[in-house]
Amino acid sequence: MATGVNELVLEVADLAAAERFYTEVLGFPVIERWEGDHWRHREAVWVLAGGTRIGLWKPALGIARARGGVHVHYALSVDDQEYDAVVERIRGLGVQVDEVEFGPGNARSAYVADPDHNVVEFWTWDVTAGSPGAPRAISEAVPGL
């Protein structure tokens, strides 16, 4: 049985802009770079989010014919005690943050979009606990709610 997400890969149009967002805005460290013959001329930057590595790839055919595609979003776990500091830091850098509460009062989420419009969610919910309940917008005019 799977125990978690080991790796997530996102296709990006501008590798430098994506790297700046994930390192400077989200604060994730770069752990690896791909370029040149060794990587079959695939260009990528890998960052680490907790125990999950996130690949930022320029468009290319991946292993087993993997291709980039449109997705809704992905969520990263954040401790409830750290949530406010995460949101404040990202907002302080001028990034739009949409906040949602699940429950009432069961969990909070902050959604931000990267330069390629991939939506990153920071969520306080322990997904092993079942459903947190229906979402309710905390920020004004959260799209989709």
Side-chain angles (χ1 to χ4, degrees):
M1 178 186 223
T3 59
V5 176
N6 191 26
E7 172 178 289
L8 172 72
V9 175
L10 302 171
E11 190 173 88
V12 300
D14 183 332
L15 190 56
E19 180 178 349
R20 280 191 304 276
F21 179 83
Y22 281 85
T23 60
E24 296 173 15
V25 175
L26 301 186
F28 301 154
V30 172
I31 58 170
E32 188 173 3
R33 291 183 190 281
W34 286 4
E35 57 190 11
D37 290 342
H38 181 73
W39 297 106
R40 300 178 189 260
H41 300 283
R42 211 178 285 138
E43 293 183 60
V45 173
W46 293 89
V47 297
L48 191 62
T52 302
R53 74 182 204 156
I54 299 173
L56 308 171
W57 288 23
K58 290 187 81 173
L61 186 63
I63 295 171
R65 298 170 302 285
R67 286 290 306 144
V70 177
H71 73 282
V72 177
H73 78 282
Y74 65 93
L76 300 170
S77 297
V78 63
D79 289 336
D80 193 49
Q81 299 81 8
E82 296 176 20
Y83 176 85
D84 290 327
V86 168
V87 171
E88 182 179 318
R89 180 182 174 284
I90 294 170
R91 276 201 177 118
L93 293 168
V95 175
Q96 170 69 40
V97 178
D98 292 318
E99 288 188 88
V100 172
E101 176 185 63
F102 292 83
N106 289 337
R108 297 183 292 167
S109 285
Y111 297 84
V112 299
D114 77 8
D116 290 281
H117 309 289
N118 296 301
V119 176
V120 183
E121 176 185 5
F122 292 89
W123 200 12
T124 64
W125 185 247
D126 174 0
V127 297
T128 65
S131 173
R136 177 181 70 80
I138 301 292
S139 301
E140 201 168 308
V142 174
L145 289 183

